[in-house]
Amino acid sequence: PRDPRQGALWPSYIELSAAFFDNLIKHAVPLDEHAIRHLKGSSLALDLYVWLAHRLPRLEKRTPVTWDALEMQFGADFKRRRDFAADQS
């Protein structure tokens, strides 16, 4: 906090269980820092990038992903599905 009289709204650290940490290390996904900087203005774009970076190397065959599926996964803040798809263009 900037004002020492005001407490933090949430803790400034998190504690991971050993099992969760080991799982993260075992299944680490390398991310491109340039891509992250480019996408920094959109949390949704960052979510999609990280999800694709994690998912694509694990696919064994061509797997179409529909806008409906993406909207169900990431588009909770959109009132209309077409607005979710339009925001990604």
Side-chain angles (χ1 to χ4, degrees):
R2 294 176 191 222
D3 183 344
R5 297 171 296 171
Q6 180 181 355
L9 297 176
W10 49 80
S12 59
Y13 68 92
I14 59 171
E15 186 173 335
L16 305 177
S17 71
F20 184 67
F21 179 79
D22 290 342
N23 191 33
L24 289 175
I25 297 301
K26 182 178 178 183
H27 301 288
V29 176
L31 301 176
D32 184 323
E33 290 182 35
H34 177 73
I36 292 171
R37 278 193 299 277
H38 182 73
L39 299 172
K40 71 179 179 181
S42 170
S43 58
L44 179 57
L46 282 166
D47 285 347
L48 287 168
Y49 169 65
V50 171
W51 179 73
L52 288 168
H54 171 77
R55 188 74 183 107
L56 290 175
R58 290 161 176 74
L59 295 177
E60 296 180 3
K61 62 180 181 171
R62 186 180 178 125
T63 306
V65 178
T66 65
W67 280 114
D68 289 344
L70 287 174
E71 191 268 341
M72 287 181 65
Q73 181 79 20
F74 298 103
D77 293 338
F78 291 86
K79 292 181 182 175
R80 299 179 305 180
R81 186 164 290 152
R82 68 177 182 234
D83 294 336
F84 171 77
D87 192 60
Q88 304 316 302
S89 306

